[in-house]
Amino acid sequence: MELSMGMTSRVEVEEDSDNNKGSMWDLDQKLDQPMDEEAGRLRNTYREKKFSALLLLRLAFQSLGVVYGDLGTSPLYVFYNTFPHGIKDSEDVIGALSLIIYSLTLIPLLKYVFIVCRANDNGQGGTFALYSLLCRHANVRTIPNQHRTDEELTTYSRSTFHEQSFAAKTKRWLERYAFRKNALLILVLVGTCMVIGDGILTPAISVLSASGGIKVNHPKLSSDVVTVVAVVILVGLFSMQHYGTDKVGWLFAPIVLLWFLLIGGIGLFNIWKYDTGVLKAFSPVYIYRYFRRGGRDGWTSLGGIMLSITGIEALFADLAHFPVLAVQIAFTVVVFPCLLLAYSGQAAYLMQNKEHVVDAFYRSIPESIYWPVFIVATAAAVVASQATISATFSIIKQALALGCFPRVKVVHTSKKFLGQIYIPDMNWILMILCICVTAGFQNQSQIGNAYGTAVVIVMLVTTLLMILVMLLVWRCHWILVMLFTGLSLVVECTYFSAVLFKVDQGGWVPLVIAAAFLVIMYVWHYGTLKRYEFEMHSKVSMAWIVGLGPSLGLVRVPGIGLVYTELASGVPHIFSHFITNLPAIHSVVVFVCVKYLPVYTVPEEERFLVKRIGPKNFHMFRCVARYGYKDLHKKDEDFEKKLFDSLFLFVRLESMMEGCSDSDEYSLYGQQTERSREALINNNGNITSSFADPTISSIDSIVQIKSPSHANFTVRSSGQTSSQTEVDEREFLNNCRDAGVVHIMGNTVVRARRDSRFYKKIAVDYIYAFLRKICRENSVIFNVPHESLLNVGQIFYV
């Protein structure tokens, strides 16, 4: 074990956010919000169900640019990926169109828009939102840092069920064995990794397909030129990410709406001009004839058909921007009919021009509007790529908050909306991989095969998680669950079997990408879990602390020591290691635990929980700062300021009660409403009994010990009132704060035991150690000045 002073060369800023120091955000403002402030107000109004139809339509209009860009650009490449070797029979076009129609109806329309979108976590969508819902309704989190006070948060919504119900039996089945919890976590991580793969493949295929329009009007142009144009657009797209979408986001909805109207109008024109007979594809009989005629080739062509429903996971992940009803209206009124017209129009064109299947979309455009449509198509492809990249950043942030991703820099790009974030490291990794895929394949068909593999696996993961959500959260009847599961798995497993035939034709790309990220995420989570277990098992007993006496057997120097720990209860091992190696400790010691909960946000007024450790004259406290997976640390000094505000408020509350406590019950501060807090602070120093909680007792209660005073501390005499004691201790805390604040952090090194298996040694000694070395330090994340940082090093073996 070692003890070292942490001297960092520079301190980076965590988030580029300069919004509203000290202001209190409303609960709904914590969410990812619509594109402007008025839309945010509309969303709150929506939740109260007091809005006009006109305002709801405005939200539906805005949702087009954020939610449906990816799904809307699929007509650029679906028919080519369905018939990469050409069309042999015109009837195959009818069969493929029928498959597209029913795929759009069953998956995006019925499953996602009307069922899955309802499984949101207070408006938040995505794989981790479903996981957070499950974590609140069953004890399935692998890191056991929950506390019963967490369940009292206003955002910690959960339903209860009868012990003999099917939901209760499912809950007990999940909780019984640790490997089931790990299996659920791995399932969520697989879905997350595939979404990251979408973030790489969507820009590649969308931009490359849109750029291919250049070659249609100039047939002699080399394919390399199209690839170079696509790469230039991609580099520009990823290079602009750090500016965020706040300033140009208002353009997204008009662009996408114009795109849908264009493809719908062109499709209607082509149906009228070429062949109205394609409308018979609405009969499912042609699906049967297509498979009977095509055999294995017809079956494998499902990999191309499935590209017509890509973008549905981005739809669910970006759900937080808008109310579900607005998303449903946008899909049923604009997206769904325009897509049906677009595909039907292309099919009508191909009935008479089978040889143009390679670039069916651009060939079917009337010549007079070709270049305007090309420009809009390129803009729509950029918008679709932006939506997927934003969804990727969002889900990585959620994974990071739940301890499943290495600590990376998260930049807040908007002064108004907390949901708009940018992750520099991941942005450049995504760009490099995206360019490699685009330049390496130079072929829409192979990229389409890769894209299809990623999408179908994400759909399967969502279906499996939805089964648990329907049982535990919605408490649906098992017959409804079986009906949903059966229909979903029949369709998705059919598509999955088709993409397996194309693994060697580009489908291996997302599997390799997902495998790499899965290893990184699981190894990081494993190391995080082992570090937490080490702290739990080696924490210091209160008997040992009390036995040291008020001075802790050391010289108590003026100042406040903030000891950072992952423990929400108990004294961490690094504290005993620290006082064993140094003969002095600060007059006030505060154990600070920053933990993330399976909720989307924690309101500011419920952020901090404070309790006292040991007798009053020990001057030891614990402060737990709680965050949701959407919350961001600010770059300013609000964290430290609010921590001390909560500490002083705790002292004022505690002065009402006799004795002292080392209970697992925290101060009421964390559960006060904003109104209560203001009333308490503005009460001229008098705390009314309405804020007192006589039930704050002790599990490890310690009777108050009256001992001699130590430096700079005024001892309470038997004749003093509680208010005098409060003033004395607050003055003492202020003096210590003025003397200086030192941040003490544990630098725990994890090593595999010598007798461990070789794969464990590789995972812990090499992969996890490398990730720890390149990830951000906690001191940078908490914006700790390097001159007041003290690192306490220790090594443990797993």
Side-chain angles (χ1 to χ4, degrees), residues 690-729:
S690 62
F691 296 107
D693 184 359
T695 65
I696 291 188
S697 57
S698 177
I699 292 176
D700 299 313
S701 291
I702 301 172
V703 180
Q704 182 178 5
I705 301 173
K706 295 182 180 179
S707 59
S709 63
H710 47 78
N712 298 328
F713 179 69
T714 305
V715 181
R716 172 186 173 186
S717 66
S718 58
Q720 283 183 301
T721 65
S722 62
S723 61
Q724 288 175 317
T725 306
E726 172 209 331
V727 173
D728 290 342
E729 186 161 19

Side-chain angles (χ1 to χ4, degrees), residues 582-627:
L582 283 182
I585 190 64
H586 300 89
S587 300
V588 177
V589 176
V590 182
F591 297 101
V592 181
C593 171
V594 177
K595 71 174 182 178
Y596 284 87
L597 304 179
V599 295
Y600 67 99
T601 187
V602 176
E604 288 284 357
E605 62 271 18
E606 301 178 59
R607 175 84 69 215
F608 293 93
L609 294 177
V610 181
K611 60 173 279 188
R612 185 185 294 276
I613 297 179
K616 284 188 177 182
N617 53 3
F618 277 53
H619 301 303
M620 296 173 66
F621 303 88
R622 172 172 292 108
C623 179
V624 179
R626 305 176 297 180
Y627 290 85

